[in-house]
Amino acid sequence: MTKDRYYDLLGSKFNSSEEIVSEIINLKAILNLPKGTEHFVSDIHGEYNAFQHILRNGSGNIKEKIKELFHHILTPQEQQELATLIYYPEKRLKITNGLRNDEWYRHKIDQLIQLVRFSSSKYTRSKLRKSFPKRYAYIIEELLFQTSNQTDKKNYYTQIIETVIQLNQADTLIIDLCYTIQRLVVDHLHVVGDIYDRGPEPDKIIERLMTHHSMDIQWGNHDIIWMGAASGSPICMMNTIRISARYNNLSIIEDTYGINLRPLLTYAEKYYHDNPAFRPKIEPDHTESKEELLETTKIHQAAAILQFKLEEQLVKRRPEFNMEHRLLLSKIEHDTSTITIKGHTYPLHDTCFETVSKEDPSKLSLEEEEVIQRLLQNFIQSEKLKRHVNFLFKKGNMYLVYNENLLIHGCVPLNEDGSFQSIVFEGKEYSGKKLMDYFEVCLKQSYKNPEMHDDYKTDIIWYLWSGENSSLFGKKEMTTFERYFIKDKKTHTEEKNAYYHLREEEATIQNILKEFGLNSPDSHLINGHTPVKEVKGENPIKANGKMIVIDGGFSKPYQKTTGLAGYTLLYNSYGMQLVAHKPFSSVDKVITDHEDILSMKRVVDRPLERKCVFNTTIGKTLLEEINELYELLEYNAH
């Protein structure tokens, strides 16, 4: 495109030089607004109720706004009641139906308008206007910009509220105001990986994220397995089925995504039986019958064995992955029911190797190949799964550099001396940032060709799940086989990459940040993936404040070892606050008892100067636009 053509296209947006000048003034003014609040969450693992509550309360941000604005007017109990109304307006209005009168409505609408005004102080009127629900946008805008000295319009504002009440529209106005506040307290959401697995409702989390006004995703290891299944990887598909069966969540596959598992169940019932090692983890209030749990147990075994066979095939065809030590089916001594690993022989327990050939352990029978192909087509053709995975690709990346911070789910693989681990793929050596860029290219290319099931790019997805140099795995090997079949827990240990102890050192984090082009003294590495065992004294703030780990255990299975129910992070114009959360009980408890899950906040970083839009990633984009507009102005003058 020629320079003249470029400026002609740019100029078509503006009818006059005055419009260009006006836009320059507007953008330069925006640069001086305080930066919006960023909200970081990680490792949600299908726990929709806890996740959506944290979105609704802004990790305690709404309660802070209420306290700051009304501390001299409302008691702590009244502040909590107002917070609960804002979190769940429809449900709260329903249970307080008999307690409301016209005066209550006047009072509550006034409080909510004050909160909208207070929460919107960082935004331009234009941006604020876009956040209003359409049905009452005019009313909210009029009420919002009233001032105490506008005596001439006092009756005007009073009449608006009185008419809303008389027409029985006060409830819907209150609901819209509450959701407006929820939206305003957080400008941008970062999901630092692992939406899927363990918990029962990852699909609801995706659907909720699809409606969010501004967000991004950094893929987690559990996300890419589902992305791999949708990309046509049979081994990734079997892993999603295995994990879903393990946590008694097969309904996600069958009911949510409409994928028929009958071919696998029919196959499993021929060859597998009740096996204690493969019984699903169930909640005390589960509703499944013994027969249904037995079916899940059989599917669990079938998926695991098929996964192990497919893994052996992949390891053999990709020697450069250096995963030969995972050829465990080939190491089984069937006559003695033992296995020799790293020079030690162990007895095998709870075995289910009836379909494993002694001569060729990785060989699939014709029946198994047919089952896999039928299932794979079901995964690839699932409309809802495709829609969700499309969203993950559209909004997601392996990492993100945003507002001078680096966001990654897993790790940047390191050697013991702190240098970046390297590996050769397709004849080229990769490490550090280039390695993560390569992984992202592979994921995207594989998804474009779901019919190619064992191509290099698709096989890389499995390497990302369990390979030693994977930035999403970060361990020497994944001991899934050992955990099922060997009692000796020494074999269950998964040795972590050097990154996980070196990240305690500030120099290490500084070196990683530099690799990704970050040299600011205010830069941080924000990490998920590894639960922080606070109950044992582990600190989520590391490397002299340069590293922040925000996976404290959203997932219920983790909470016994972490001692809490997750960390989230808030980053506003004044600095960063790490928020620890108590376990979430239920929405009903919040609504009836005003029970919240916020535990405590810790200041991570308090800059000397308040951050403005000028200091942000968006600010850099606006500066580029301003420079282009100046050039356009000069071009038009000639």
Side-chain angles (χ1 to χ4, degrees):
M1 183 186 298
T2 65
K3 192 171 184 179
D4 286 348
R5 178 59 178 157
Y6 171 75
Y7 283 120
D8 285 342
L9 289 172
L10 181 60
S12 66
K13 293 174 60 178
F14 303 95
N15 294 320
S16 66
S17 295
E18 288 77 10
E19 286 189 6
I20 300 172
V21 170
S22 178
E23 183 66 4
I24 291 173
I25 293 169
N26 174 49
L27 295 180
K28 292 191 79 170
I30 289 172
L31 289 174
N32 291 278
L33 287 170
K35 78 173 285 294
T37 299
E38 296 170 69
H39 191 188
F40 301 77
V41 300
S42 176
D43 297 85
I44 308 160
H45 284 301
E47 297 293 346
Y48 171 72
N49 286 332
F51 169 71
Q52 60 91 28
H53 182 70
I54 280 174
L55 283 194
R56 287 171 181 264
N57 76 2
S59 283
N61 215 8
I62 286 176
K63 195 182 290 184
E64 290 291 321
K65 299 282 187 189
I66 292 171
K67 183 178 180 181
E68 191 173 347
L69 190 58
F70 297 120
H71 68 277
H72 59 296
I73 299 173
L74 301 179
T75 66
Q77 177 65 23
E78 289 170 334
Q79 291 177 34
Q80 186 57 63
E81 289 174 2
L82 180 57
T84 304
L85 173 65
I86 295 169
Y87 303 160
Y88 300 98
E90 297 96 337
K91 294 179 183 293
R92 187 63 189 160
L93 287 169
K94 187 175 181 179
I95 68 169
T96 59
N97 187 44
L99 305 176
R100 302 195 301 277
N101 53 33
D102 289 0
E103 184 57 32
W104 184 91
Y105 280 122
R106 294 185 196 102
H107 190 54
K108 205 57 62 180
I109 290 171
D110 179 62
Q111 288 178 339
L112 293 172
I113 287 292
Q114 288 186 61
L115 272 168
V116 171
R117 188 182 299 122
F118 187 55
S119 303
S120 65
S121 59
K122 298 178 184 178
Y123 303 123
T124 63
R125 285 199 180 191
S126 174
K127 184 171 182 176
L128 181 58
R129 195 176 292 118
K130 291 173 184 176
S131 72
F132 296 153
K134 290 183 179 179
R135 59 183 175 183
Y136 292 128
Y138 164 75
I139 293 173
I140 294 173
E141 187 169 0
E142 287 295 297
L143 293 174
L144 191 61
F145 296 115
Q146 63 178 306
T147 60
S148 58
N149 60 0
Q150 285 180 312
T151 54
D152 292 343
K153 296 178 73 174
K154 183 177 180 181
N155 291 338
Y156 168 77
Y157 295 122
T158 300
Q159 190 58 56
I160 289 176
I161 295 174
E162 291 302 317
T163 305
V164 165
I165 295 170
Q166 289 168 14
L167 293 174
N168 296 319
Q169 297 301 302
D171 281 358
T172 50
L173 177 59
I174 284 173
I175 290 167
D176 281 359
L177 288 169
C178 289
Y179 284 119
T180 300
I181 293 166
Q182 286 185 30
R183 176 167 177 168
L184 291 174
V185 296
V186 170
D187 189 45
H188 189 82
L189 174 69
H190 304 284
V191 180
V192 193
D194 276 0
I195 295 167
Y196 279 92
D197 288 340
R198 295 193 176 93
E201 296 174 320
D203 58 299
K204 289 186 178 180
I205 295 169
I206 296 278
E207 292 288 341
R208 175 67 181 86
L209 291 175
M210 284 177 161
T211 67
H212 200 278
H213 57 279
S214 181
M215 56 83 59
D216 55 64
I217 299 168
Q218 292 72 61
W219 302 319
N221 52 320
H222 287 271
D223 302 322
I224 59 104
I225 282 298
W226 285 82
M227 293 159 68
S231 300
S233 167
I235 188 171
C236 289
M237 174 189 69
M238 279 303 162
N239 197 41
T240 64
I241 296 172
R242 180 186 66 80
I243 293 174
S244 296
R246 179 175 176 79
Y247 290 94
N248 200 32
N249 287 329
L250 287 174
S251 62
I252 294 170
I253 296 174
E254 294 186 291
D255 300 332
T256 299
Y257 289 125
I259 295 168
N260 184 7
L261 293 179
R262 176 57 58 178
L264 184 60
L265 176 59
T266 301
Y267 163 78
E269 286 186 323
K270 284 186 184 180
Y271 302 104
Y272 299 99
H273 48 78
D274 187 18
N275 186 330
F278 290 87
R279 289 173 190 158
K281 296 179 182 292
I282 54 176
E283 296 294 327
D285 58 349
H286 76 94
T287 58
E288 292 82 4
S289 66
K290 288 183 179 180
E291 291 76 14
E292 289 172 320
L293 292 174
L294 179 57
E295 287 182 354
T296 302
T297 300
K298 292 177 179 179
I299 288 175
H300 190 180
Q301 292 170 88
I305 297 301
L306 289 173
Q307 176 187 315
F308 296 143
K309 286 187 176 185
L310 291 167
E311 183 174 34
E312 293 227 354
Q313 291 181 6
L314 184 150
V315 170
K316 289 175 182 176
R317 71 173 172 264
R318 304 297 180 204
E320 64 271 38
F321 286 6
N322 299 317
M323 296 176 71
E324 291 81 4
H325 54 289
R326 299 311 299 165
L327 297 172
L328 297 181
L329 291 181
S330 301
K331 296 179 180 180
I332 296 172
E333 292 292 339
H334 290 269
D335 294 338
T336 58
S337 194
T338 59
I339 189 169
T340 301
I341 302 175
K342 299 174 185 176
H344 297 280
T345 300
Y346 303 95
L348 295 168
H349 299 269
D350 302 314
T351 58
C352 49
F353 301 134
E354 290 83 351
T355 64
V356 178
S357 165
K358 295 180 183 179
E359 292 74 27
D360 188 358
S362 66
K363 183 178 177 59
L364 296 169
S365 68
L366 291 176
E367 182 181 19
E368 289 171 335
E369 287 181 354
E370 183 179 342
V371 168
I372 289 171
Q373 289 306 312
R374 288 177 64 184
L375 289 173
L376 200 57
Q377 286 306 306
N378 289 341
F379 268 80
I380 293 171
Q381 293 170 5
S382 168
E383 184 279 330
K384 190 170 185 177
L385 179 59
K386 192 170 189 176
R387 183 160 54 86
H388 286 180
V389 172
N390 281 343
F391 177 76
L392 288 174
F393 274 104
K394 180 181 178 181
K395 291 291 186 178
N397 298 95
M398 285 294 297
Y399 65 88
L400 179 68
V401 174
Y402 193 90
N403 289 347
E404 296 298 318
N405 294 310
L406 173 62
L407 285 60
I408 60 172
H409 175 72
C411 70
V412 181
L414 300 177
N415 296 309
E416 282 295 335
D417 64 358
S419 60
F420 296 110
Q421 261 187 359
S422 63
I423 187 169
V424 175
F425 292 121
E426 300 181 289
K428 294 183 180 180
E429 187 173 357
Y430 297 94
S431 65
K433 180 180 180 294
K434 289 183 179 179
L435 177 64
M436 295 176 76
D437 289 336
Y438 174 77
F439 285 145
E440 182 166 325
V441 168
C442 289
L443 276 162
K444 290 179 177 178
Q445 290 185 359
S446 177
Y447 188 56
K448 289 179 181 178
N449 300 287
E451 300 303 326
M452 298 176 66
H453 302 157
D454 59 359
D455 65 298
Y456 203 96
K457 299 298 190 290
T458 302
D459 284 350
I460 283 287
I461 303 175
W462 185 252
Y463 185 88
L464 263 171
W465 170 255
S466 58
E468 182 177 355
N469 286 64
S470 164
S471 60
L472 291 180
F473 179 48
K475 297 177 184 178
K476 195 169 186 63
E477 59 187 335
M478 186 175 290
T479 59
T480 305
F481 180 98
E482 292 89 330
R483 290 171 186 270
Y484 280 124
F485 302 119
I486 303 175
K487 299 283 188 184
D488 191 334
K489 291 190 176 182
K490 290 197 300 290
T491 66
H492 302 177
T493 301
E494 296 175 344
E495 182 184 338
K496 292 182 179 179
N497 183 267
Y499 169 90
Y500 288 102
H501 64 82
L502 293 176
R503 69 180 181 177
E504 301 282 348
E505 301 173 8
E506 185 175 357
T508 299
I509 302 307
Q510 294 281 25
N511 189 46
I512 292 173
L513 292 172
K514 184 179 179 181
E515 169 76 0
F516 288 82
L518 295 171
N519 300 296
S520 168
D522 294 334
S523 293
H524 304 81
L525 199 165
I526 299 166
N527 212 171
H529 189 51
T530 51
V532 177
K533 297 177 182 178
E534 181 155 305
V535 71
K536 294 185 178 180
E538 185 178 355
N539 191 346
I541 304 172
K542 304 176 184 296
N544 197 25
K546 300 298 290 182
M547 153 74 75
I548 307 152
V549 183
I550 59 170
D551 175 13
F554 255 109
S555 181
K556 290 179 182 178
Y558 283 151
Q559 290 172 11
K560 290 181 181 178
T561 58
T562 60
L564 41 78
Y567 290 103
T568 55
L569 185 70
L570 293 171
Y571 179 26
N572 60 25
S573 58
Y574 290 107
M576 288 184 170
Q577 286 185 315
L578 188 69
V579 187
H581 299 275
K582 296 177 182 177
F584 183 72
S585 52
S586 70
V587 173
D588 289 340
K589 277 281 188 183
V590 177
I591 294 164
T592 58
D593 301 338
H594 308 293
E595 187 176 289
D596 216 335
I597 62 175
L598 180 67
S599 178
M600 59 182 172
K601 290 186 177 182
R602 304 180 197 176
V603 174
V604 177
D605 196 16
R606 189 69 82 184
L608 295 176
E609 295 183 6
R610 193 178 186 189
K611 296 279 187 182
C612 295
V613 173
F614 179 86
N615 308 109
T616 68
T617 298
I618 291 173
K620 291 178 182 178
T621 302
L622 294 181
L623 282 170
E624 291 174 1
E625 290 183 23
I626 290 168
N627 290 333
E628 289 175 347
L629 290 171
Y630 272 120
E631 290 181 17
L632 178 61
L633 199 61
E634 185 177 348
Y635 178 80
N636 285 353
H638 292 84

